[in-house]
């Protein structure tokens, strides 16, 4: 890190080596209101300069719009980046609270071809099953993904929001490099079974929404009123009414620790997630999302913040007091099936 770039870590036993923090790209074209395209492109470049090499997208982010948006950046830096995308979830534009999930073998093959075309690449570095299709055996889904590896269209496999048993079943079919799931000071359900299973199997964790979809930054005074009509967070229980008020009050310990370090609340929240790696004994590469260069710099700087045991103890009770679930329908998460 002598050049200011973040250190690297390997995803899984044979997965790609990436910067210890990645970048969630969804908000650059979908879900959180109208983005600033020029600033988003600048944020991508700045992240790469700082050693961020894992870039996360999905076919379901705006019906492929996010993949198309990222394609020019990937073309310019193909040998420097690790491209992660996901298949299997479609969000109907008429109802953003709904999710249509598919994991049948035919769709896996179809989705991969679509993503390859939109991304403008010959191979996807890390290909995730975005959500589990409970109507299809996971062995069928992962088997089709494994065929993509054999065909040279995908390098490594990942799973998103799977249970411990689903992870074990998938690993029996083909090595899994990473499990992506929500993990933050507000969301710790995966620590009960998924994280121990991943550590046992040598699978890395890629936490998404490590900032609680922005709530842990402390910037929301009244989230329901401040978010635009097209912001998907308006459908999420934690951002609504009394829940939002109660959750805002939980940030006081975070402020205390941030003041002691002279950093932002966001940096403390990210440092906490990063230290889960040592606590649970597995690689952790979180993917905070942003569309702004200054936030990229702030987020990356959090990789150098180390929290004391006393500070970790102060933050420990937060998750147990959070009001509202992660999603309106928790069957969309691993916690809804554990």
């Amino acid at each position: 890190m002598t050049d200011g770039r973040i250190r690297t870590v390997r995803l899984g036993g044979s997965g790609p080596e990436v910067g210890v923090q990645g970048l969630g790209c969804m908000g650059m074209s979908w879900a959180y209101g109208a983005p600033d395209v020029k600033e988003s492109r600048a944020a991508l470049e700045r992240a790469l300069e700082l050693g961020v090499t894992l870039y996360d997208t999905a076919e379901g982010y705006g019906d492929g719009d996010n993949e198309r948006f990222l394609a020019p950046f990937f073309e310019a830096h193909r040998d420097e980046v690790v491209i992660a995308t996901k298949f299997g979830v479609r969000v109907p534009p008429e109802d953003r609270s709904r999710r249509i999930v598919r994991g049948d073998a035919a769709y896996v093959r179809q989705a991969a071809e679509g993503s390859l075309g939109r991304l403008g690449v010959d191979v996807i570095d890390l290909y995730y099953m975005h959500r589990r299709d409970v109507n299809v055996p996971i062995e069928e889904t992962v088997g089709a993904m494994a065929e993509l590896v054999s065909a040279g269209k995908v390098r490594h496999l990942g799973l998103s929001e799977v249970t411990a048993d689903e992870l074990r079943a998938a690993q029996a079919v083909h090595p899994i490099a990473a499990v992506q799931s929500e993990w933050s000071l507000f969301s710790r359900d995966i620590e009960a079974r998924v994280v121990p299973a991943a550590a046992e199997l040598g699978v890395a964790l890629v936490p998404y929404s490590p900032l609680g979809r922005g709530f842990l930054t402390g910037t929301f005074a009244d989230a329901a009123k401040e978010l635009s009509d097209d912001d998907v967070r308006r459908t999420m229980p934690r951002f609504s009414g009394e829940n939002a008020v109660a959750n805002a009050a939980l940030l006081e310990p975070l402020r205390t620790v941030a003041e002691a370090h002279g950093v932002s609340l966001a940096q403390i929240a990210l440092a906490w997630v990063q230290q889960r790696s040592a606590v649970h004994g597995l690689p952790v590469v979180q993917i905070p999302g942003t569309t702004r260069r200054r936030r990229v710099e702030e987020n990356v700087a959090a990789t150098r913040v180390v929290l004391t045991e006393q500070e970790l103890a102060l933050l420990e009770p937060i998750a147990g007091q959070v009001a509202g679930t992660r999603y309106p329908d928790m069957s969309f998460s691993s916690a809804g099936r554990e």
Side-chain angles (χ1 to χ4, degrees):
M1 289 174 54
T2 55
D3 62 353
R5 292 165 62 88
I6 57 176
R7 63 184 177 87
T8 61
V9 65
R10 187 168 297 282
L11 295 180
S14 59
E17 187 168 338
V18 298
V20 74
Q21 186 180 110
L23 182 62
C25 301
M26 179 181 74
M28 293 181 174
S29 56
W30 184 78
Y32 293 158
D36 181 330
V37 172
K38 183 178 179 181
E39 180 64 15
S40 293
R41 294 204 180 283
L44 290 167
E45 297 288 348
R46 183 61 178 142
L48 188 59
E49 290 172 356
L50 294 172
V52 174
T53 55
L54 178 64
Y55 294 83
D56 185 86
T57 182
E59 66 165 356
Y61 296 163
D63 241 358
D65 288 347
N66 195 238
E67 291 178 322
R68 295 185 191 95
F69 170 80
L70 294 168
F73 172 72
F74 291 152
E75 180 181 11
H77 302 286
R78 186 63 188 98
D79 295 337
E80 303 170 79
V81 300
V82 173
I83 300 172
T85 193
K86 303 180 284 291
F87 72 88
V89 174
R90 190 172 69 82
V91 181
E94 68 277 7
D95 184 359
R96 290 193 172 194
S97 67
R98 286 185 61 218
R99 303 290 186 272
I100 299 170
V101 180
R102 283 188 64 179
D104 56 282
Y107 187 78
V108 174
R109 292 188 286 268
Q110 173 189 329
E113 293 297 337
S115 286
L116 287 166
R118 289 186 294 270
L119 292 165
V121 297
D122 296 325
V123 60
I124 297 165
D125 299 314
L126 178 58
Y127 200 40
Y128 287 100
M129 179 186 75
H130 202 166
R131 289 295 188 275
R132 170 76 200 285
D133 182 346
V134 296
N135 298 309
V136 175
I138 195 166
E139 292 83 359
E140 176 182 335
T141 305
V142 177
M145 296 167 71
E147 290 174 3
L148 294 172
V149 176
S150 297
K153 296 180 179 182
V154 169
R155 290 195 172 106
H156 306 284
L157 302 186
L159 306 170
S160 181
E161 288 287 358
V162 291
T163 67
D165 289 344
E166 289 164 352
L167 172 57
R168 288 192 174 93
Q171 181 80 355
V173 176
H174 189 279
I176 302 299
V179 166
Q180 186 175 130
S181 196
E182 187 166 351
W183 200 5
S184 73
L185 279 165
F186 267 19
S187 300
R188 298 181 59 179
D189 49 78
I190 64 168
E191 293 177 21
R193 297 192 63 206
V194 177
V195 171
E200 170 196 329
L201 297 170
V203 176
L205 249 295
V206 177
Y208 70 85
S209 297
L211 296 173
R213 293 185 173 82
F215 215 120
L216 288 163
T217 65
T219 57
F220 293 111
D222 190 334
K225 293 180 180 178
E226 293 170 12
L227 300 176
S228 62
D229 290 342
D230 58 350
D231 193 311
V232 72
R233 288 172 292 186
R234 293 180 68 90
T235 70
M236 295 180 174
R238 291 179 178 177
F239 288 83
S240 303
E242 294 181 358
N243 286 349
V245 175
N247 291 334
L250 298 178
L251 301 182
E252 288 309 310
L254 205 60
R255 288 193 175 90
T256 299
V257 178
E259 289 173 5
H261 284 264
V263 300
S264 69
L265 274 67
Q267 287 172 307
I268 296 302
L270 294 174
W272 182 89
V273 174
Q274 192 58 62
Q275 285 183 235
R276 299 303 91 193
S277 176
V279 171
H280 295 281
L282 78 173
V284 173
V285 179
Q286 58 192 318
I287 48 170
T290 186
T291 62
R292 301 192 177 279
R293 281 170 289 183
R294 64 185 179 89
R295 293 300 185 199
V296 166
E297 293 167 350
E298 178 183 338
N299 292 348
V300 167
T303 64
R304 296 184 281 276
V305 176
V306 179
L307 305 178
T308 67
E309 291 299 322
Q310 292 78 12
E311 290 166 341
L312 292 171
L314 186 63
L315 301 172
E316 182 66 22
I318 292 176
Q321 302 173 49
V322 173
T325 54
R326 294 201 267 135
Y327 295 103
D329 177 5
M330 281 298 286
S331 65
F332 195 59
S333 72
S334 60
R337 299 191 308 280
E338 282 285 13

